[in-house]
Amino acid sequence: MTFKLPNDANIISERIFENAKKLVALKYWDGIRDDQLLNWLQNFDTEQEKYIAAIILYRLIYRNQQTINTFGAQLFQITIPDYLEVKGAYRVNDLDEWQTELNRPDSRSRLPFRFSTIESVDDKPAKSGASIYRALKGEFFEQNLGVGANALFKLKDNQKINTLIFFDDILGTGQQFIDFVEKYKLDDLGKNILYCPFAAFEKGLANVRKKFPKIDLRPVEVLTEENSVFCTDNKLLSIESGSISEECKEFYLKMCKEKGFKLPANEWLGRGELSLSYLFNDSTPNNNISAIWYSDNNWKRLAKR
């Protein structure tokens, strides 16, 4: 399987590689070192493979620490206060006082809500969501306001708690969240349930809302098919004769096989085959294309899972 390259493919690839190097050097991609990027680029041998690397980097959305702090501020200064007021759960009159309340040592006995994150339900690590939770906890609220998944059932009869707020990195297909809700019976706790992923794929949002209409979803940003690496709207996949999107995808899958990726084939495009390139500075959601995060003796990863 092969695909037709644009006439200036080599120039395009090198330009994108140089831009990526600048983003690393400027610490905008603050979780990627220059040697990581260079080693990753060396995975790609042929001109066509290099063009695949260029496509991935061109579509890459990187959320650095500053952006994570900004997302957190949006949640804690706008989304959560507004939600609590609409639900009649708690009223925030002053943002400075609100932040003080969230960080008091005795906040657990004063506030009627708890924070948590989405944990794995399939015996695989759920590192990226937990990483987001830790970042928010360190910046915005006292750790005693947190509750682990295994302790959620204890809150059912606690009349002092009226709201549970869950943080996560990304909602992809929605199936992981659906499994989590069913395992821990969130819909039966009799509490307001607010789920706040930093990013959510629009089809995943629709799946969850259809399954659990009583659960409220407030993602910071929404992703669409246009965020897929092999989206037909990607201008790198358009040449004079038409779109090469499908050809590039097939070439990528063939490359994964030839490079010996020790993963199920349905994970080569990421969980749910969403083909994303959406990274956080300290974690990589599993919906990302595997060429970004896969690692073995023959393949150097760009970013850790």
Side-chain angles (χ1 to χ4, degrees):
M1 180 66 193
T2 186
F3 63 93
K4 184 178 180 181
L5 287 165
N7 294 331
D8 53 353
N10 185 57
I11 296 174
I12 293 172
S13 297
E14 288 302 320
R15 186 179 300 149
I16 291 172
F17 297 161
E18 288 303 313
N19 185 61
K21 292 173 186 176
K22 290 178 182 178
L23 291 171
V24 171
L26 292 170
K27 304 298 183 184
Y28 185 82
W29 289 359
D30 54 353
I32 300 176
R33 302 187 311 272
D34 54 357
D35 61 303
Q36 281 180 278
L37 175 60
L38 293 176
N39 287 337
W40 183 75
L41 288 173
Q42 289 175 5
N43 292 319
F44 302 88
D45 298 317
T46 68
E47 189 175 1
Q48 287 176 316
E49 288 181 6
K50 292 180 186 298
Y51 197 70
I52 292 294
I55 292 169
I56 294 172
L57 291 176
Y58 177 72
R59 299 297 287 182
L60 196 148
I61 299 173
Y62 192 93
R63 300 311 185 200
N64 58 26
Q65 187 59 53
Q66 182 177 353
T67 304
I68 289 173
N69 291 342
T70 300
F71 281 7
Q74 179 173 329
L75 290 175
F76 279 91
Q77 295 175 14
I78 300 174
T79 304
I80 295 173
D82 287 352
Y83 177 81
L84 292 173
E85 183 169 352
V86 167
K87 291 293 185 176
Y90 185 83
R91 183 176 179 82
V92 176
N93 295 310
D94 180 88
L95 286 177
D96 289 334
E97 291 179 3
W98 158 249
Q99 199 60 53
T100 299
E101 285 291 319
L102 288 173
N103 287 280
R104 288 175 60 120
D106 60 347
S107 58
R108 188 177 183 86
S109 63
R110 296 170 59 89
L111 299 174
F113 49 82
R114 295 290 183 267
F115 300 118
S116 191
T117 189
I118 307 306
E119 299 180 3
S120 173
V121 294
D122 57 4
D123 296 324
K124 294 183 179 180
K127 176 185 179 297
S128 49
S131 177
I132 295 300
Y133 178 84
R134 287 194 300 271
L136 294 176
K137 179 183 66 176
E139 185 73 19
F140 295 101
F141 64 91
E142 172 65 34
Q143 65 178 0
N144 62 23
L145 284 174
V147 59
N150 290 325
L152 290 170
F153 75 96
K154 298 178 182 179
L155 299 178
K156 183 172 184 177
D157 297 323
N158 188 337
Q159 299 303 312
K160 295 181 180 180
I161 305 301
N162 57 36
T163 304
L164 298 174
I165 300 167
F166 292 86
F167 301 118
D168 204 0
D169 58 343
I170 189 170
L171 174 73
T173 63
Q175 191 57 53
Q176 184 176 10
F177 181 68
I178 289 171
D179 292 343
F180 181 86
V181 172
E182 292 178 339
K183 178 177 179 178
Y184 295 103
K185 298 179 172 58
L186 297 191
D187 220 20
D188 299 328
L189 293 178
K191 313 292 183 184
N192 300 315
I193 304 294
L194 174 62
Y195 177 51
C196 299
F198 272 11
F201 203 69
E202 60 179 358
K203 289 185 177 179
L205 284 173
N207 291 338
V208 174
R209 284 171 173 153
K210 181 178 180 180
K211 182 79 173 179
F212 302 111
K214 294 181 181 179
I215 292 180
D216 298 296
L217 285 70
R218 300 288 189 277
V220 177
E221 62 180 338
V222 176
L223 306 177
T224 70
E225 297 283 354
E226 294 179 0
N227 296 110
S228 169
V229 169
F230 299 110
C231 171
T232 54
D233 289 340
N234 184 343
K235 68 180 183 180
L236 294 190
L237 300 178
S238 180
I239 60 176
E240 289 184 3
S241 59
S243 174
I244 56 172
S245 173
E246 285 302 316
E247 290 89 340
C248 285
K249 182 191 292 187
E250 290 302 317
F251 180 88
Y252 166 79
L253 294 172
K254 178 173 177 278
M255 183 189 76
C256 290
K257 183 177 181 179
E258 291 178 347
K259 299 287 186 181
F261 279 27
K262 298 177 181 63
L263 293 169
N266 62 2
E267 293 186 18
W268 291 346
L269 294 171
R271 185 163 187 165
E273 299 189 338
L274 298 185
S275 302
L276 297 181
S277 54
Y278 184 99
L279 309 184
F280 296 99
N281 73 321
D282 191 41
S283 62
T284 305
N286 59 12
N287 305 101
N288 278 281
I289 197 165
S290 64
I292 293 175
W293 50 264
Y294 177 74
S295 178
D296 63 21
N297 291 334
N298 300 312
W299 187 272
K300 307 303 180 185
R301 67 190 179 193
L302 176 65
K304 61 184 177 181
R305 274 279 297 122

